[in-house]
Amino acid sequence: APHGPLPHPAPMAANAVVSMDESDLMESLFACPITLELLQDPVICTVDGHTYSRAALEEWIRARGTAPMTREPATLEDMRPNRAMQQAIEELLQAQELRQDQPAPRSPGARPVATAPADGSDAQAPLLLPP
């Protein structure tokens, strides 16, 4: 567990989202400020208003007795579930799974291609398969 000052995320350029893939975007939007990983069981610290992974915030408060972002005094009773954040993460993960399960779109008129075995047993060019 980190014991020094929390790293602060570097500001993102407005166009940075364009070059990020979806998993990078999810990690940056839904990362716990303590672990820098995807939020697990997100909770809000009512002292500083930030959302953290429950286990990470519990460990932080037990070790330091402060809110991570502001260093104001905090106790375990200052944690509240962030159900909206949990729901948003679950919906994005489900959408991501659905997209991964779908076959890649084929261009109109494209025909599947079977390639020859890599062991060289058949040196023929790729075979066009019927649509």
Side-chain angles (χ1 to χ4, degrees), residues 5 7 17 34 60 62 66 69 80 82-83 88 95 99 104 113-114 120 123 126:
V17 172
I34 298 171
W60 181 283
R62 283 190 181 109
T66 63
M69 296 300 259
R80 299 289 181 272
N82 189 336
R83 292 182 185 94
R99 277 194 293 284
V113 174

Side-chain angles (χ1 to χ4, degrees), residues 46-130:
T46 59
V47 173
D48 67 11
H50 290 272
T51 297
Y52 305 91
S53 291
R54 179 182 297 275
L57 183 57
E58 285 177 354
E59 183 179 333
W60 181 283
I61 290 174
R62 283 190 181 109
R64 296 171 181 83
T66 63
M69 296 300 259
T70 62
R71 307 294 199 263
E72 294 175 77
T75 67
L76 296 178
E77 289 75 35
D78 294 317
M79 296 186 332
R80 299 289 181 272
N82 189 336
R83 292 182 185 94
M85 181 70 77
Q86 183 66 42
Q87 183 176 353
I89 292 169
E90 288 172 5
E91 288 175 5
L92 280 170
L93 289 173
Q94 286 173 356
Q96 203 173 40
E97 285 175 23
L98 288 175
R99 277 194 293 284
Q100 289 174 354
D101 291 342
Q102 293 178 351
R106 290 189 344 191
S107 54
R111 294 171 56 190
V113 174
T115 57
D119 64 5
S121 62
D122 184 4
Q124 294 179 348
L127 305 171
L128 290 177
L129 300 178

